[in-house]
Amino acid sequence: MIEPSAALRAGLLGLSRNDTVRSLVQNAPISRDVVARYVSGEATADAVRTSTELNGKGLLGTLDFLGEDCTDLEQARSTRDNYLELLGALSEHGLTEGGVIEVSVKLSAVGQYLGGDGNKIALEHAREICEAAARAGTTVTIDMEDHTTTDDTLSGVRELREDFPWVGAVLQAYLFRTEADCKDLATAGSRIRLCKGAYKEPGSVAYQDKSEVDLSYVRCLKALMEGDGYPMVASHDPRLVQIAGSLADRYLRASDSFEYQMLYGIRPAEHERLSAAGHKMRIYVPYGNEWYGYLVRRMAERPANALFFARSLVSRG
Ligand code: FDA
């Protein structure tokens, strides 16, 4: 039998790609506080302001210009241009040197879903973003989306790494394939962000049970910590954060040879606690007005958030 929370999660994730619901919610006069909790703002200046605040607290950042599932070439180009503008602005504010603030890019936001040459176009745009990041002295991490794109995205990362070896990849512990991917990719200098995975995936490719996803996360983490790469532990799960620390100790990792990562607005006290304990702590900060898909995935992770969100829609709509 499916648990109620799993059913709610699946339902919400289904809505993340429903255009009618997307337009209803995006145009509803919902409380800006709900969006503002998870999204830094709409403009480059908002992203720079949040990055400055993080930097002031000794935290690292990775910025995501929202705009996934883009099917329009002009929009894909505009997303690329936003990243170029952002990297210029961050650099002018002295926030990029040494990778203090980097960027995260979804290939679907820069052209992967355009059909025909989509993959090639996305990769060209990602390459231009990497060139701007290199000029600014920082790095780029390529986000991972649903499983139908995993092979293309990983082969894109491999291609980009020929010129920009610091390009980071994301692996999702809920996929059966990921432990093997972690072993393959745990090579010297390889930046790998390990997350649980946020999309609605079928039982043919992904663990469905939360505890199985957690066990897979631990196996993947072990492969990364044991290997020669640079693990980026992207989870808010207190148990997994603790296990990551124990594995880092077991494999005699120095505190600058891996980092923790969490999302903007989620467990902020934990961001500061880990940083104060001497760990590298990076915050993933989304900005831009295309916040719908991102927000629905955050709601799906926590039914209490979905109820809060629904109440604010009803009371203000
Ligand atoms: P889990 O969802 O089990 O949450 C553990 C605890 O964290 C909860 O009990 C709660 O206390 C807190 N928490 C979690 N989510 C919350 C929320 N929304 N609101 C309030 N509290 C919450 N996914 C993906 O598929 N591709 C990607 O590229 C990325 N990239 C990425 C980058 C970074 C830096 C992070 C942290 C995460 C991602 N993700 C992602 C998302 C990831 O796959 C996953 O969906 C979320 O991180 C939630 O999983 P947790 O590991 O936090 O555990």
Side-chain angles (χ1 to χ4, degrees):
M1 199 180 79
I2 303 178
E3 292 171 53
S5 63
L8 178 60
R9 179 171 183 274
L12 281 166
L13 289 176
L15 289 184
S16 72
R17 284 188 164 153
N18 180 311
D19 286 341
T20 312
V21 177
R22 172 192 292 262
S23 139
L24 270 174
V25 172
Q26 275 186 328
N27 294 317
I30 64 164
S31 160
R32 295 202 70 77
D33 292 350
V34 181
V35 179
R37 173 170 170 195
Y38 295 104
V39 177
S40 143
E42 296 199 345
T44 299
D46 296 312
V48 172
R49 177 185 34 78
T50 303
S51 302
T52 306
E53 285 165 13
L54 293 178
N55 189 38
K57 292 181 188 164
L59 298 168
L60 309 169
T62 183
L63 293 177
D64 166 31
F65 179 73
L66 295 164
E68 61 202 84
D69 296 356
C70 153
T71 50
D72 175 71
L73 180 57
E74 277 316 304
Q75 198 191 335
R77 287 184 177 141
S78 156
T79 296
R80 170 205 58 194
D81 293 344
N82 271 286
Y83 275 107
L84 301 186
E85 178 185 300
L86 173 69
L87 284 160
L90 289 170
S91 172
E92 269 172 33
H93 284 77
L95 291 163
T96 44
E97 211 46 63
V100 170
I101 305 289
E102 63 139 35
V103 295
S104 285
V105 178
K106 284 188 175 46
L107 291 183
S108 80
V110 289
Q112 193 175 39
Y113 290 173
L114 291 176
D117 279 346
N119 260 316
K120 197 164 154 260
I121 293 168
L123 220 56
E124 277 164 16
H125 288 160
R127 177 174 294 279
E128 289 175 79
I129 296 168
C130 288
E131 283 163 358
R135 282 194 297 278
T138 191
T139 50
V140 176
T141 299
I142 305 296
D143 281 342
M144 190 57 83
E145 303 179 67
D146 73 63
H147 80 278
T148 61
T149 62
T150 309
D151 281 326
D152 283 342
T153 301
L154 288 181
S155 86
V157 167
R158 282 196 188 91
E159 214 173 306
L160 291 169
R161 280 182 171 181
E162 285 173 17
D163 293 317
F164 311 102
W166 39 255
V167 168
V170 179
L171 295 175
Q172 298 153 316
Y174 62 17
L175 295 183
F176 300 146
R177 60 178 285 168
T178 296
E179 187 181 354
D181 285 336
C182 285
K183 288 180 179 158
D184 273 2
L185 286 161
T187 52
S190 170
R191 296 169 61 248
I192 300 293
R193 170 187 296 159
L194 180 65
C195 64
K196 286 189 186 178
Y199 296 80
K200 184 180 170 193
E201 297 291 13
S204 52
V205 298
Y207 298 106
Q208 305 293 308
D209 191 80
K210 217 170 156 19
S211 59
E212 282 193 288
V213 176
D214 291 355
L215 287 172
S216 167
Y217 196 105
V218 175
R219 290 193 299 274
C220 293
L221 202 49
K222 185 169 174 291
L224 294 179
M225 289 288 185
E226 194 174 14
D228 295 326
Y230 181 84
M232 304 188 280
V233 183
S235 176
H236 314 92
D237 190 325
R239 218 153 46 112
L240 294 178
V241 167
Q242 199 184 14
I243 291 171
S246 306
L247 286 171
D249 288 346
R250 186 195 300 174
Y251 294 110
L252 304 175
R253 278 190 168 265
S255 62
D256 62 355
S257 73
F258 69 103
E259 67 186 46
Y260 293 101
Q261 298 190 341
M262 293 189 187
L263 302 177
Y264 181 70
I266 302 183
R267 304 198 70 210
E270 185 67 358
H271 305 171
E272 296 189 25
R273 186 191 71 81
L274 284 165
S275 168
H279 296 295
K280 291 174 84 172
M281 175 79 234
R282 190 177 300 275
I283 313 305
Y284 183 106
V285 183
Y287 76 102
N289 53 17
E290 291 283 327
W291 43 260
Y292 177 77
Y294 179 83
L295 197 70
V296 171
R297 287 196 295 280
R298 301 294 78 79
M299 299 300 117
E301 281 151 14
R302 220 170 172 227
N305 289 344
L307 294 176
F308 174 54
F309 184 59
R311 264 202 300 273
S312 83
L313 274 176
V314 171
S315 62
R316 300 287 295 269

